[in-house]
Amino acid sequence: MMKRLQLFVAAFAILACNPLLASASDPSPLQDFCVAINDTKNGEFILLHGFTILTNLTLFHAVFVNGKFCKDPKLANAEDFFYSRLNIPRNTSNPIGSTVTPINVAQISRMNTFSICLVRIDYAPYGGLNPPHMHPRATEILVVLEGTLYVDFVTSNTDICFITKVLNPGDVFVFPIGLIHFQFNIGNTKAVAFAGLNSQNPGVITIANVIFGSNPPINPDVLTKAFQLDKNIVTYLQSKFE
Amino acid sequence: MMKRLQLFVAAFAILACNPLLASASDPSPLQDFCVAINDTKNGEFILLHGFTILTNLTLFHAVFVNGKFCKDPKLANAEDFFYSRLNIPRNTSNPIGSTVTPINVAQISRMNTFSICLVRIDYAPYGGLNPPHMHPRATEILVVLEGTLYVDFVTSNTDICFITKVLNPGDVFVFPIGLIHFQFNIGNTKAVAFAGLNSQNPGVITIANVIFGSNPPINPDVLTKAFQLDKNIVTYLQSKFE
Amino acid sequence: MMKRLQLFVAAFAILACNPLLASASDPSPLQDFCVAINDTKNGEFILLHGFTILTNLTLFHAVFVNGKFCKDPKLANAEDFFYSRLNIPRNTSNPIGSTVTPINVAQISRMNTFSICLVRIDYAPYGGLNPPHMHPRATEILVVLEGTLYVDFVTSNTDICFITKVLNPGDVFVFPIGLIHFQFNIGNTKAVAFAGLNSQNPGVITIANVIFGSNPPINPDVLTKAFQLDKNIVTYLQSKFE
Amino acid sequence: MMKRLQLFVAAFAILACNPLLASASDPSPLQDFCVAINDTKNGEFILLHGFTILTNLTLFHAVFVNGKFCKDPKLANAEDFFYSRLNIPRNTSNPIGSTVTPINVAQISRMNTFSICLVRIDYAPYGGLNPPHMHPRATEILVVLEGTLYVDFVTSNTDICFITKVLNPGDVFVFPIGLIHFQFNIGNTKAVAFAGLNSQNPGVITIANVIFGSNPPINPDVLTKAFQLDKNIVTYLQSKFE
Amino acid sequence: MMKRLQLFVAAFAILACNPLLASASDPSPLQDFCVAINDTKNGEFILLHGFTILTNLTLFHAVFVNGKFCKDPKLANAEDFFYSRLNIPRNTSNPIGSTVTPINVAQISRMNTFSICLVRIDYAPYGGLNPPHMHPRATEILVVLEGTLYVDFVTSNTDICFITKVLNPGDVFVFPIGLIHFQFNIGNTKAVAFAGLNSQNPGVITIANVIFGSNPPINPDVLTKAFQLDKNIVTYLQSKFE
Amino acid sequence: MMKRLQLFVAAFAILACNPLLASASDPSPLQDFCVAINDTKNGEFILLHGFTILTNLTLFHAVFVNGKFCKDPKLANAEDFFYSRLNIPRNTSNPIGSTVTPINVAQISRMNTFSICLVRIDYAPYGGLNPPHMHPRATEILVVLEGTLYVDFVTSNTDICFITKVLNPGDVFVFPIGLIHFQFNIGNTKAVAFAGLNSQNPGVITIANVIFGSNPPINPDVLTKAFQLDKNIVTYLQSKFE
């Protein structure tokens, strides 16, 4: 019994650690909506993600699909399409000085099969940075609500082109799918932006974290050669991002 | 020569009258970006939309593709990805009390092939209405910045289900592709919302305008029967929406 | 036990009330075929739609996917791909004078994952109307077998364009995805048409029913403003379409 | 000049010899409609398919896109969505005793980008055969109007499964994308069927013609081995299908 | 109990007999990866493919989805992405003198949702033939490692075009989705090729086997007419391919 | 005239510098094939990429589409589907010790619209590295022909997972779309691999080059903060990758 419960906890943790979810080429809906099932409620034993099950054999196995299983459409209600408090400023007291608040299929279960999500980004004054990263499954359109952001994206090899712009409130910018981009607060006040992404789960790959902070770490010889860095610097960086 | 110029003007007008453009199932990009070509600039004779041409035979013919032609990628620059002034409140002094400001492939040419666009919506106090409409090619995610909106969408036949919610600043709601929805300002201050849609050209079909205001008008006998209205009311409505 | 059975009934009802199902951008099949599972047979306790389970814990939960679950391909047979009696005239004695007989994934389970369906439409003489409606997930191609139909569709805002044609037996017409259209029998005999739609579940939104007949009803203030109708007329219409 | 005209003729011929055109995974439309351009009219020098051009350098070059170029949407009218006379019986006096009349993007130019087409099939009495063939880009749904058809399709390797059925008027059957199928008139009257296919250009590969009738012919040694036929029979068959 | 086990065996057999699996228009992944579940391990009672279950009611039912169910991502490891021994020459002592070794979702479970697979093909010297066949769900790119291959593909009707080439080591050729093609070893040494196909399950339809070897057999009258063969030859061929 | 020629040269250079081109969600073909037009031949003035025009007005303008324009299908021949010499070992005398030889739409023009390409990769002995990179538009399946490669990929945030394996000849591994991966020759002989990617233009983003070698360079303050490196190291790296 304990083992079964642990498995549930593990399954839930997986969902929680996928903060951004959606794709530029997500499949289209095949019905009006398909509200995702993604939690256990009320202590009741709900079958998370289509597991099957069963019982005095103490057999247990979880299955997943590409995307999410859906809730019985008869049971859908307005709360399934709703999320609140995106107007509340977020705390940006962290080393990079920014906080991303995603509203995707994990927050609004209805977004399942709808190929879209939304994020709020808060940037600390004087250098709050949403560091170089990319979304493997979505293009992003960003609008600045407050502050002054220096934004960029870099095209793919070989003729690497760096496109950059300073944005003020009311300015809009587009970051294409799969290309590395960042936003940097160059003003002396906090900054806030909203962004739409065309996937229910865009994914996010923060370059520094993925390169230097994976677990287990990437072989330092590879990074030494790829980045032409001294091996001591590589191992120092790996210790910081762990 | 005159004829040629008139044709250009006509072509440009077509673009201007398609204010929202993008789709939930837009094709994916086949290169890093494909900045749309959509205007004539500087009095220069630029070949809008891949037309071909011309000359002392005074030959002229315009062609279009599904979507847009692209600009030479070498000539792309940050301005192609940028739009400004979405922070400026819009005038809502019109019969329905709302104004939609779309930022799509027509405003940010780079959005071509990226399956996403953004809109700002302003609502007048006491009843500003973004009237019942639907987007044939996109799902919409809306976030309220100011005011109090009563929102809804209606599912498809036969078991017609009406899902409704009151939204306050910071609240987020999703309207699925192809379903009829509206937002209604039930507060005594103006309201403002931003919305992302997963198409470069979502399209918009405002039910009342399309049903009663098409040109030429729909046969009144059809509307009399479909809406079970007195024929005089139908012709009266057609005169108002013309 | 009772509760369990009721849930089954409810689940089945949901399927039944989605008479048209398919999409212009349905995913492609990933195997030769994927016959949908969509019914309980012979009083046997069959696990409808991948539900799991069961038993002395009286546990029960239904899950759905985007589309349908499939039958074991070893058990597929010709009946799964077959539907009969589309040649039988349908009764059109109803207020609008038309009857739609859909053959989609609910009737031919094999159509699951195949992005296509077929309908027969019967129209009463002198004014049988398939009233203004649209399909959120399919384009339609219609061929007239008997009678004379006046057909139309209306393009999206703002430059609303109404395209119309009178069709006789053997005539073919196309109605694009998401645009509002109707067919009206202007002859003095019954009319019959067949139509193909490129989705396993196109969906259908009949404008008058959705606007005036939703449950709960749309706020009459919204309709009064959107349609510029007297509020009494709105509440009268809502009472008729309930 | 002569050379230029010949090239035009060739380009037109290509279109004409692709009788069926559409696909189960055609891209979605990015605007309300995109009427295909596929002809020269009025003796005028119209630039078919986006060619570019010309002049006193006598330069000429034709280009094509994936699919079709579109007509200026301002110039679209009801005729672009229309085709007539599908009710007229076709002549089936040919060796196989059947005639296929396709209504696809070549006949209704509007079908461009709409992923659907329609065919009428006439079968001679006593053995009219629509011989074993497949559509590389579409699934087909067929409804019988007159007569009695024996239909089948065969699944892919290795566990080859043959699914067959006798159809009478009003019966409907589905043939999945890419699988080989045929219809055979086993009645003593003519038969007629209509079929919808989910592509603007499904393509058709008639097995016997492609295997034995290609130009230049397939190496007879290959066919001898593949079909385990005597080489004399292979060369005899190749002479008949030439 | 016996019956239950038999069903499991049958389900497993189905998977095994689909040696090639993937599609040119497979849906995109909605998460980083979705490792397919496709086996029972360790004698443990694992719920293959989301079946549900069971028990003292002796209830049993299998369900499938379009594609495959996924494994819990937490349990994925490098072995899920790995296959070995593609360098080992295969035995080509069979009537057609060739052996295809597919590496698809059945061999590398991770390939689920990734729209790609790989095959090794070995050809016997002096006439080893990969006989005329097509893939209903994939385009193929082939590279020759050893030997000399004569390759071809045939376009669709009506203007049947046969495109052919002799390939030597290091040569690359492309065979488009749904078109019939073959490779024939015209050298006096064995030949080896690798090929990539853009589907997790391309499918394969070997023309001779499907036409003459289906079970039950196709009606000989149909084949006699379609191939213009003597009926005795047809029944002789059917006996050989059975 | 000079200016015109320069523009042609520039256009050609763009193509040349996009060595890998194709996508996991490329659109499907809408005809049997669509051979790309991508070069000028024989000194003849051919209109590359659908440009239009020219003449005594010295007018010139280039247009592009999403993907490529196609050649007249009548003019396609076997050479359009063919590429040779992939068996020749490549020189790996460069700082990272590896060379990638792509065979994509730029080399085999026929691959246009077919969503697939192939690469050969040569690795120097003792540490040849195909450095950390990702493909924004394709999943990759790799097979080792010679040598011993240590390969890995890293999943997206936040729960960053590093999946690694040592591969020997005949081993196969899959790298998913958009995830960072590398291959490192840990043997004392050269290594060779072939890989298939499911796009006509996968794109490649080499992390170190894009981060430190873009032109103009990324603001060093951003990199200092993102990578937590001393600013001197950042500017040193930028000088090396320029």
Side-chain angles (χ1 to χ4, degrees):
Chain A
M1 184 63 181
M2 269 301 97
K3 201 173 157 199
R4 196 152 75 207
L5 289 182
Q6 283 169 351
L7 227 145
F8 268 121
V9 172
F12 189 74
I14 294 162
L15 295 172
C17 74
N18 282 324
L20 284 178
L21 297 193
S23 163
S25 50
D26 291 9
S28 297
L30 296 172
Q31 52 289 310
D32 282 356
F33 49 78
C34 171
V35 175
I37 299 176
N38 59 1
D39 55 11
T40 58
K41 299 183 207 144
N42 314 328
E44 204 186 353
F45 181 64
I46 288 232
L47 297 175
L48 187 68
H49 290 104
F51 316 152
T52 55
I53 311 327
L54 51 77
T55 82
N56 38 15
L57 299 173
T58 317
L59 172 64
F60 185 89
H61 190 65
V63 292
F64 297 82
V65 288
N66 188 25
K68 298 273 188 184
F69 279 97
C70 322
K71 186 173 174 177
D72 180 339
K74 274 294 191 218
L75 305 179
N77 60 55
E79 299 309 310
D80 290 322
F81 309 110
F82 174 70
Y83 183 83
S84 63
R85 303 208 309 153
L86 210 60
N87 58 328
I88 310 296
R90 266 59 183 181
N91 183 355
T92 57
S93 304
N94 55 46
I96 54 167
S98 75
T99 298
V100 174
T101 307
I103 308 303
N104 55 38
V105 70
Q107 280 77 38
I108 303 192
S109 51
R110 149 71 109 97
M111 293 169 73
N112 191 28
T113 78
F114 280 117
S115 300
I116 196 156
C117 74
L118 189 72
V119 298
R120 175 194 171 101
I121 317 172
D122 291 81
Y123 308 82
Y126 300 110
L129 175 68
N130 187 8
H133 66 284
M134 65 86 172
H135 306 289
R137 291 182 294 276
T139 286
E140 176 176 350
I141 183 166
L142 178 140
V143 56
V144 178
L145 299 187
E146 301 176 39
T148 304
L149 293 174
Y150 166 80
V151 303
D152 101 303
F153 67 85
V154 192
T155 62
S156 64
N157 303 353
T158 320
D159 195 42
I160 299 166
C161 170
F162 175 74
I163 287 186
T164 185
K165 187 82 187 167
V166 172
L167 304 182
N168 292 300
D171 287 355
V172 176
F173 206 80
V174 179
F175 304 102
I177 183 168
L179 300 192
I180 294 174
H181 59 286
F182 65 81
Q183 302 101 32
F184 189 47
N185 184 353
I186 57 173
N188 54 11
T189 61
K190 69 192 172 81
V192 178
F194 277 2
L197 293 101
N198 60 349
S199 172
Q200 70 179 46
N201 179 13
V204 58
I205 295 179
T206 301
I207 304 306
N209 299 15
V210 164
I211 292 294
F212 296 110
S214 77
N215 176 11
I218 293 178
N219 181 333
D221 289 341
V222 167
L223 297 178
T224 298
K225 187 157 201 168
F227 286 86
Q228 303 182 26
L229 282 167
D230 185 274
K231 192 167 177 176
N232 290 335
I233 294 178
V234 167
T235 51
Y236 167 73
L237 285 170
Q238 288 185 325
S239 70
K240 290 194 69 170
F241 280 94
E242 245 171 31
Chain B
M1 183 64 182
M2 268 301 97
K3 202 171 156 199
R4 196 152 77 208
L5 288 182
Q6 283 168 351
L7 228 146
F8 268 121
V9 172
F12 189 74
I14 294 161
L15 295 172
C17 75
N18 281 324
L20 285 177
L21 296 195
S23 164
S25 50
D26 290 10
S28 297
L30 296 172
Q31 52 289 309
D32 282 356
F33 50 77
C34 170
V35 175
I37 299 177
N38 59 1
D39 56 11
T40 59
K41 297 184 209 142
N42 315 328
E44 204 188 350
F45 181 64
I46 288 232
L47 298 173
L48 188 67
H49 289 106
F51 320 148
T52 58
I53 335 338
L54 62 90
T55 87
N56 39 15
L57 299 172
T58 315
L59 171 65
F60 185 90
H61 189 64
V63 291
F64 296 82
V65 288
N66 188 26
K68 299 271 188 185
F69 278 98
C70 323
K71 186 175 175 175
D72 181 340
K74 275 294 190 218
L75 306 179
N77 59 54
E79 300 309 309
D80 290 322
F81 310 110
F82 174 72
Y83 183 82
S84 63
R85 305 209 307 152
L86 209 60
N87 58 327
I88 310 296
R90 265 61 183 178
N91 183 355
T92 57
S93 304
N94 54 47
I96 53 166
S98 74
T99 298
V100 174
T101 308
I103 307 304
N104 54 39
V105 69
Q107 282 76 35
I108 304 193
S109 52
R110 150 71 111 95
M111 292 169 75
N112 191 26
T113 79
F114 281 117
S115 298
I116 196 156
C117 74
L118 188 72
V119 298
R120 175 193 170 103
I121 316 171
D122 292 81
Y123 308 83
Y126 301 110
L129 175 68
N130 187 8
H133 66 285
M134 64 85 170
H135 306 290
R137 291 182 294 275
T139 286
E140 175 176 351
I141 184 167
L142 178 140
V143 55
V144 178
L145 300 187
E146 299 176 41
T148 303
L149 293 174
Y150 166 80
V151 303
D152 102 302
F153 68 85
V154 192
T155 63
S156 64
N157 304 350
T158 320
D159 194 42
I160 298 167
C161 171
F162 175 73
I163 288 186
T164 185
K165 186 84 188 166
V166 172
L167 304 181
N168 291 300
D171 288 353
V172 176
F173 206 79
V174 179
F175 303 102
I177 182 168
L179 299 192
I180 295 175
H181 59 285
F182 64 82
Q183 302 101 33
F184 189 46
N185 184 354
I186 58 172
N188 54 10
T189 60
K190 69 191 172 79
V192 178
F194 277 2
L197 293 101
N198 59 349
S199 172
Q200 71 180 46
N201 178 14
V204 59
I205 295 179
T206 301
I207 304 306
N209 299 15
V210 163
I211 293 293
F212 296 110
S214 77
N215 177 10
I218 292 179
N219 181 334
D221 291 341
V222 166
L223 297 179
T224 299
K225 187 157 202 169
F227 286 85
Q228 302 184 28
L229 283 168
D230 184 275
K231 193 167 176 176
N232 289 336
I233 295 179
V234 166
T235 51
Y236 166 72
L237 285 169
Q238 288 185 325
S239 70
K240 291 194 67 170
F241 280 93
E242 244 169 33
Chain C
M1 185 62 179
M2 270 302 96
K3 200 172 157 198
R4 196 153 74 209
L5 288 182
Q6 283 168 350
L7 227 145
F8 267 121
V9 171
F12 189 73
I14 293 162
L15 295 172
C17 74
N18 282 323
L20 283 178
L21 298 193
S23 163
S25 49
D26 290 10
S28 297
L30 297 172
Q31 51 289 311
D32 282 357
F33 49 77
C34 169
V35 175
I37 299 176
N38 59 1
D39 56 11
T40 58
K41 298 183 208 142
N42 315 327
E44 204 188 352
F45 181 65
I46 287 231
L47 298 175
L48 186 69
H49 290 104
F51 315 152
T52 53
I53 338 329
L54 59 92
T55 87
N56 38 15
L57 298 174
T58 317
L59 172 65
F60 185 90
H61 189 63
V63 292
F64 296 82
V65 288
N66 187 25
K68 299 272 189 183
F69 279 97
C70 324
K71 187 173 173 177
D72 181 338
K74 275 295 191 216
L75 306 178
N77 59 57
E79 300 309 310
D80 290 320
F81 310 109
F82 174 71
Y83 183 83
S84 64
R85 303 207 311 153
L86 209 60
N87 59 328
I88 310 296
R90 265 60 183 181
N91 183 355
T92 57
S93 304
N94 54 46
I96 54 167
S98 74
T99 298
V100 175
T101 307
I103 308 303
N104 55 39
V105 69
Q107 280 76 38
I108 303 192
S109 51
R110 148 70 111 99
M111 293 169 73
N112 191 28
T113 79
F114 281 117
S115 300
I116 196 156
C117 73
L118 189 71
V119 298
R120 175 193 171 102
I121 316 172
D122 291 81
Y123 308 83
Y126 301 110
L129 175 67
N130 187 7
H133 67 284
M134 64 86 173
H135 306 291
R137 291 181 294 275
T139 286
E140 176 176 350
I141 183 166
L142 178 139
V143 56
V144 178
L145 299 187
E146 299 176 41
T148 304
L149 294 174
Y150 166 80
V151 304
D152 102 304
F153 68 85
V154 192
T155 62
S156 63
N157 304 352
T158 320
D159 194 42
I160 298 166
C161 171
F162 175 74
I163 288 185
T164 185
K165 186 83 188 166
V166 171
L167 304 181
N168 292 300
D171 288 354
V172 176
F173 206 78
V174 179
F175 304 102
I177 182 168
L179 299 192
I180 295 174
H181 59 285
F182 64 82
Q183 302 101 32
F184 189 47
N185 184 354
I186 57 174
N188 54 10
T189 60
K190 70 190 171 80
V192 178
F194 277 2
L197 294 100
N198 59 350
S199 172
Q200 71 180 46
N201 179 14
V204 58
I205 294 180
T206 302
I207 304 305
N209 299 15
V210 163
I211 293 293
F212 296 110
S214 77
N215 176 10
I218 294 180
N219 181 334
D221 290 341
V222 167
L223 297 178
T224 299
K225 186 156 202 170
F227 286 86
Q228 303 182 27
L229 282 169
D230 184 275
K231 192 165 177 177
N232 289 335
I233 295 178
V234 166
T235 51
Y236 166 74
L237 285 169
Q238 287 185 324
S239 70
K240 291 192 69 169
F241 279 94
E242 244 169 31
Chain D
M1 184 63 182
M2 270 301 98
K3 201 172 156 198
R4 195 151 77 207
L5 288 181
Q6 284 168 351
L7 227 145
F8 268 121
V9 172
F12 189 72
I14 293 160
L15 296 172
C17 76
N18 282 323
L20 284 177
L21 297 194
S23 165
S25 49
D26 289 10
S28 297
L30 296 173
Q31 52 289 310
D32 282 357
F33 49 77
C34 170
V35 175
I37 299 176
N38 58 2
D39 56 12
T40 58
K41 300 184 209 144
N42 316 327
E44 204 188 351
F45 180 65
I46 288 233
L47 298 174
L48 186 66
H49 289 106
F51 319 148
T52 59
I53 328 335
L54 63 82
T55 86
N56 38 16
L57 298 172
T58 317
L59 172 65
F60 184 89
H61 190 64
V63 292
F64 297 81
V65 288
N66 188 26
K68 298 272 188 184
F69 279 97
C70 323
K71 187 174 174 175
D72 181 338
K74 275 293 189 218
L75 306 179
N77 59 55
E79 300 309 309
D80 290 320
F81 311 109
F82 174 71
Y83 183 82
S84 63
R85 302 207 310 153
L86 208 60
N87 59 327
I88 310 297
R90 264 62 183 180
N91 183 356
T92 57
S93 303
N94 55 47
I96 54 166
S98 75
T99 298
V100 174
T101 309
I103 309 302
N104 55 41
V105 70
Q107 280 77 36
I108 303 193
S109 51
R110 150 71 110 98
M111 293 169 74
N112 191 27
T113 79
F114 281 117
S115 299
I116 196 156
C117 74
L118 189 72
V119 298
R120 175 194 170 102
I121 316 171
D122 292 81
Y123 308 83
Y126 301 110
L129 175 68
N130 188 7
H133 67 284
M134 64 86 170
H135 306 290
R137 291 182 293 276
T139 285
E140 175 176 352
I141 183 166
L142 178 139
V143 55
V144 178
L145 300 186
E146 299 176 42
T148 303
L149 294 174
Y150 165 79
V151 304
D152 101 304
F153 68 85
V154 192
T155 62
S156 63
N157 303 354
T158 319
D159 195 43
I160 299 166
C161 171
F162 175 73
I163 288 185
T164 185
K165 186 83 188 166
V166 172
L167 303 182
N168 291 300
D171 288 354
V172 176
F173 206 79
V174 179
F175 303 102
I177 182 169
L179 299 191
I180 295 174
H181 58 285
F182 64 82
Q183 302 101 32
F184 189 47
N185 185 355
I186 58 173
N188 54 12
T189 61
K190 70 189 171 80
V192 178
F194 277 2
L197 293 99
N198 58 350
S199 173
Q200 71 180 45
N201 179 12
V204 58
I205 295 179
T206 301
I207 303 305
N209 299 15
V210 164
I211 292 292
F212 296 109
S214 76
N215 176 10
I218 292 179
N219 181 335
D221 290 340
V222 167
L223 297 178
T224 299
K225 188 158 201 170
F227 286 85
Q228 303 183 27
L229 283 168
D230 184 275
K231 192 167 176 176
N232 289 335
I233 296 179
V234 166
T235 51
Y236 166 73
L237 286 169
Q238 287 185 325
S239 70
K240 292 194 67 170
F241 280 93
E242 245 169 33
Chain E
M1 185 63 181
M2 269 302 96
K3 202 172 156 198
R4 196 153 76 209
L5 289 182
Q6 283 168 351
L7 228 144
F8 267 122
V9 171
F12 189 73
I14 294 161
L15 296 172
C17 74
N18 282 324
L20 284 179
L21 297 193
S23 164
S25 50
D26 291 9
S28 297
L30 295 173
Q31 52 289 310
D32 282 357
F33 49 77
C34 170
V35 175
I37 298 177
N38 59 2
D39 56 12
T40 58
K41 299 182 207 145
N42 316 327
E44 206 187 351
F45 180 66
I46 289 231
L47 298 175
L48 187 67
H49 290 104
F51 312 155
T52 57
I53 324 315
L54 65 95
T55 88
N56 38 15
L57 298 173
T58 316
L59 171 66
F60 184 89
H61 189 63
V63 292
F64 296 81
V65 287
N66 188 26
K68 299 272 189 184
F69 278 98
C70 322
K71 186 174 174 177
D72 181 338
K74 275 293 191 219
L75 306 179
N77 59 56
E79 300 308 310
D80 290 320
F81 309 110
F82 174 72
Y83 183 81
S84 63
R85 303 208 309 154
L86 208 60
N87 58 327
I88 310 297
R90 266 59 182 181
N91 183 356
T92 56
S93 304
N94 55 46
I96 53 166
S98 74
T99 298
V100 174
T101 308
I103 308 303
N104 55 39
V105 69
Q107 281 75 38
I108 303 193
S109 51
R110 148 70 111 95
M111 293 170 74
N112 192 28
T113 80
F114 281 117
S115 299
I116 196 156
C117 74
L118 189 73
V119 298
R120 175 194 171 102
I121 316 171
D122 291 80
Y123 309 82
Y126 300 110
L129 176 68
N130 187 7
H133 66 284
M134 65 86 172
H135 306 289
R137 291 181 294 276
T139 285
E140 176 176 351
I141 183 167
L142 179 139
V143 55
V144 178
L145 300 187
E146 301 176 39
T148 303
L149 294 173
Y150 166 79
V151 304
D152 101 304
F153 68 84
V154 192
T155 63
S156 63
N157 303 353
T158 320
D159 195 42
I160 298 167
C161 171
F162 175 74
I163 287 186
T164 186
K165 186 84 187 166
V166 172
L167 303 182
N168 291 300
D171 288 354
V172 177
F173 207 79
V174 179
F175 304 102
I177 183 168
L179 299 191
I180 295 174
H181 59 285
F182 64 81
Q183 302 101 32
F184 189 46
N185 184 354
I186 57 172
N188 55 11
T189 61
K190 69 190 173 80
V192 178
F194 277 2
L197 292 101
N198 59 349
S199 171
Q200 71 179 47
N201 178 14
V204 58
I205 295 179
T206 301
I207 303 306
N209 300 14
V210 164
I211 293 293
F212 297 109
S214 77
N215 177 10
I218 293 179
N219 181 334
D221 290 341
V222 167
L223 298 178
T224 299
K225 187 157 201 168
F227 286 86
Q228 302 182 28
L229 282 168
D230 184 273
K231 191 167 177 176
N232 289 335
I233 294 178
V234 166
T235 51
Y236 166 73
L237 284 170
Q238 288 186 324
S239 70
K240 290 194 69 171
F241 280 93
E242 245 170 32
Chain F
M1 185 63 182
M2 269 301 98
K3 201 172 159 198
R4 196 152 77 209
L5 288 181
Q6 283 168 350
L7 228 146
F8 267 120
V9 171
F12 189 72
I14 293 162
L15 295 172
C17 75
N18 281 325
L20 284 177
L21 296 194
S23 162
S25 50
D26 290 9
S28 297
L30 296 173
Q31 52 288 309
D32 282 356
F33 49 78
C34 171
V35 175
I37 299 176
N38 59 2
D39 56 11
T40 58
K41 301 184 206 141
N42 314 328
E44 204 187 351
F45 181 66
I46 289 233
L47 297 173
L48 187 67
H49 289 105
F51 316 152
T52 53
I53 341 331
L54 53 84
T55 85
N56 38 17
L57 298 172
T58 316
L59 171 66
F60 185 90
H61 189 64
V63 292
F64 297 83
V65 287
N66 187 26
K68 299 271 189 184
F69 278 98
C70 323
K71 187 174 174 176
D72 181 338
K74 275 292 190 221
L75 306 178
N77 60 54
E79 300 308 311
D80 290 321
F81 309 110
F82 174 71
Y83 183 82
S84 65
R85 302 209 310 154
L86 208 60
N87 58 328
I88 310 297
R90 266 61 182 180
N91 183 356
T92 57
S93 303
N94 55 47
I96 53 165
S98 74
T99 298
V100 175
T101 308
I103 308 303
N104 56 39
V105 71
Q107 280 77 36
I108 304 192
S109 51
R110 149 71 110 92
M111 293 170 74
N112 191 28
T113 78
F114 281 118
S115 299
I116 195 156
C117 74
L118 188 72
V119 298
R120 176 194 170 101
I121 316 171
D122 291 80
Y123 308 83
Y126 300 110
L129 175 69
N130 187 6
H133 66 284
M134 64 87 172
H135 307 289
R137 290 181 295 275
T139 286
E140 176 176 351
I141 183 166
L142 178 139
V143 54
V144 178
L145 299 187
E146 299 176 41
T148 304
L149 293 174
Y150 166 80
V151 302
D152 101 303
F153 68 85
V154 191
T155 62
S156 64
N157 303 354
T158 322
D159 195 43
I160 298 166
C161 171
F162 175 74
I163 288 185
T164 186
K165 186 84 186 165
V166 172
L167 304 182
N168 291 299
D171 288 354
V172 176
F173 206 79
V174 178
F175 303 102
I177 183 168
L179 300 191
I180 295 174
H181 58 285
F182 65 82
Q183 301 102 31
F184 189 47
N185 184 353
I186 57 173
N188 54 12
T189 61
K190 70 190 171 78
V192 178
F194 278 3
L197 292 100
N198 60 348
S199 172
Q200 71 181 43
N201 179 13
V204 58
I205 295 179
T206 302
I207 303 306
N209 299 14
V210 163
I211 293 292
F212 296 110
S214 77
N215 177 10
I218 294 179
N219 180 334
D221 290 340
V222 167
L223 297 178
T224 299
K225 188 156 201 169
F227 285 85
Q228 303 183 27
L229 282 168
D230 184 275
K231 192 166 175 178
N232 289 335
I233 295 178
V234 166
T235 51
Y236 167 72
L237 286 170
Q238 288 185 324
S239 69
K240 292 194 68 170
F241 279 94
E242 246 169 31

